[in-house]
């Protein structure tokens, strides 16, 4: 087993890299701007340069295998990225190109999978997941978009199509708003931050950030309606997932996950209304690792690959 694990979190605005010891304690961590406006090749060079910088600073040689978390999904069948909001990645062989430049193997997963892997094993779900073997966590990122991932028995589940946990593109409102994926009324078009801000704007003609809307809900009827819309549709969407997966915990990340009403008794009641059980036993947890969950999840990809 390696003494150290290396992970990279490739985000829309930042690239972050970490080296940990075998117990996942941080040895060094750095982040730099992504520079996505300069194009795909520039992103590759920045990733390679950051890893070489860590190697030079620590004296640790690049390892045989590096974990990479990405926006969007890497499709093994076509060797290409898809559904990434960093658009210059789409259609490109990110895994193969990095392996060529680094002369190292990469283990690649989307950012939601890395988030739930880190939070379930190191963060919010750690105590629950450690209670017994084979426990399952469902992690959500609800922000500009809506994504998700599943960890079971300490490993990310990917599935036959590589889309396990992608609840954001289940249809929630038939014939609803169009989604970039080609369908209409996806979960993402209803409870993402921009979707909720758009709903408030449709009621008032005023544009406000979602957290400000949430703070106004006690005295503003349109803000209250917006947050009730979030709770109602979130509860219905999550109940459908729980009926199939029945995880031991749910971890809610992203900016929308900071809204307290998601954790209220009212929202739990909405989930129970759609649940094939009389009582919701699954805890809804806020993340603990902040915006660095992804990079630790990327390092955990390597650790899990070796077990």
């Amino acid at each position: 087993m390696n003494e150290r694990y290396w992970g990279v979190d490739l985000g829309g605005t930042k690239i972050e890299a970490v080296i940990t010891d075998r117990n996942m304690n941080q040895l060094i961590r750095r982040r730099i701007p992504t520079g996505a406006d300069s194009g795909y090749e520039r992103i590759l060079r920045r990733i390679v340069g950051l890893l070489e910088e860590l190697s030079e600073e620590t004296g640790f040689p690049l390892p045989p295998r590096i974990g990479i978390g990405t926006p969007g999904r890497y499709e093994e069948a076509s060797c290409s990225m898809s559904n990434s909001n960093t658009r210059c990645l789409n259609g490109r062989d990110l895994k193969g190109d990095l392996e060529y430049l680094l002369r190292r193997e990469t283990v690649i997963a989307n950012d939601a999978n890395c988030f739930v892997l880190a939070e379930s094993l190191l963060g919010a779900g750690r105590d629950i997941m450690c209670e017994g073997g084979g426990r399952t966590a469902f992690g959500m990122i609800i922000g500009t978009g809506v994504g998700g991932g599943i960890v079971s028995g300490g490993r990310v589940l990917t599935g036959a199509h590589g889309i396990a946990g992608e609840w954001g593109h289940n249809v929630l409102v038939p014939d609803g708003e169009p989604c970039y994926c080609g369908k209409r009324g996806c979960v993402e078009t209803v409870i993402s931050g921009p979707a909720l801000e758009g709903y408030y704007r449709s009621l008032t003609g005023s544009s406000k950030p979602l957290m400000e809307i949430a703070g106004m809900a006690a005295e503003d009827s349109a803000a209250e309606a917006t947050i009730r819309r979030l709770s109602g549709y979130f509860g219905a969407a999550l109940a459908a997932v729980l009926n199939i997966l029945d995880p031991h915990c749910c971890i809610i990340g992203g900016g929308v996950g900071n809204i307290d009403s998601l954790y209220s008794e009212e929202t739990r009641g909405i989930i129970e209304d759609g649940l094939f059980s009389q009582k919701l036993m699954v805890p809804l947890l806020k993340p603990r690792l902040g915006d660095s969950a992804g990079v630790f999840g990327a390092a955990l990809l390597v650790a899990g690959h070796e077990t």
Side-chain angles (χ1 to χ4, degrees):
M1 179 180 289
N2 280 339
E3 294 183 1
R4 294 174 289 271
Y5 299 117
W6 295 50
V8 175
D9 180 27
L10 171 57
T13 60
K14 68 175 175 67
I15 302 170
E16 189 169 16
V18 72
I19 305 174
T20 75
D21 65 18
R22 65 175 59 189
N23 296 315
M24 301 310 299
N25 298 308
Q26 173 183 311
L27 301 176
I28 188 172
R29 178 159 53 98
R30 292 283 186 275
R31 63 172 60 179
I32 59 174
T34 302
D37 291 344
S38 298
Y40 176 70
E41 286 75 16
R42 174 65 170 164
I43 291 175
L44 293 178
R45 290 196 299 272
R46 291 183 72 75
I47 293 172
V48 172
L50 180 58
L51 291 170
E52 290 176 342
E53 179 182 316
L54 294 191
S55 177
E56 182 176 348
E57 186 170 342
T58 62
F60 302 148
L62 290 178
R65 186 179 291 117
I66 298 169
I68 310 287
T70 70
R73 177 166 59 96
Y74 182 76
E75 297 182 348
E76 295 283 352
S78 61
C79 296
S80 64
M81 293 292 300
S82 65
N83 298 329
S84 175
N85 54 12
T86 303
R87 296 184 181 276
C88 65
L89 298 180
N90 290 325
R92 308 303 290 262
D93 185 3
L94 180 65
K95 176 178 170 66
D97 291 340
L98 282 175
E99 290 182 341
Y100 174 79
L101 293 171
L102 293 166
R103 296 293 190 264
R104 300 292 189 278
E105 181 185 351
T106 62
V107 184
I108 193 166
N110 75 29
D111 48 9
N113 285 342
C114 290
F115 163 80
V116 67
L117 186 60
E119 284 291 349
S120 64
L121 300 185
L122 304 175
R126 179 175 181 173
D127 292 343
I128 293 170
M129 296 293 279
C130 287
E131 288 179 10
R135 291 193 158 234
T136 300
F138 178 58
M140 298 157 269
I141 298 180
I142 313 175
T144 303
V146 176
I150 302 166
V151 167
S152 183
R155 290 177 176 267
V156 170
L157 299 184
T158 54
H161 303 93
I163 59 172
E166 289 292 352
W167 74 310
H169 295 281
N170 290 338
V171 174
L172 184 58
V173 179
D175 298 320
E177 294 295 318
C179 182
Y180 77 88
C181 74
K183 298 193 288 288
R184 301 182 71 94
C186 292
V187 171
E188 183 168 305
T189 70
V190 183
I191 65 169
S192 67
L196 292 163
E197 290 168 357
Y199 179 75
Y200 179 82
R201 188 167 56 249
S202 74
L203 297 178
T204 66
S206 175
S207 296
K208 294 184 182 298
L210 183 59
M211 292 309 295
E212 183 177 341
I213 295 169
M216 297 164 50
E219 65 269 357
D220 181 293
S221 60
E224 180 186 16
T226 301
I227 300 308
R228 284 189 176 275
R229 178 179 177 84
L230 166 61
S231 293
Y233 278 116
F234 168 81
L238 183 56
V241 174
L242 299 184
N243 282 337
I244 296 171
L245 185 62
D246 199 17
H248 295 87
C249 65
C250 291
I251 306 161
I252 310 172
V256 179
N258 292 320
I259 295 177
D260 289 338
S261 67
L262 291 181
Y263 307 90
S264 68
E265 287 303 314
E266 179 182 358
T267 299
R268 292 182 68 88
I270 294 168
I271 296 170
E272 286 175 345
D273 288 342
L275 197 64
F276 191 59
S277 178
Q278 292 185 344
K279 183 71 174 175
L280 176 63
M281 305 298 292
V282 181
L284 306 180
L285 305 174
K286 291 185 177 182
R288 294 181 183 171
L289 300 178
D291 67 353
S292 287
V295 76
F296 285 98
L300 280 164
L301 291 174
V302 181
H305 198 84
E306 294 189 349
T307 58

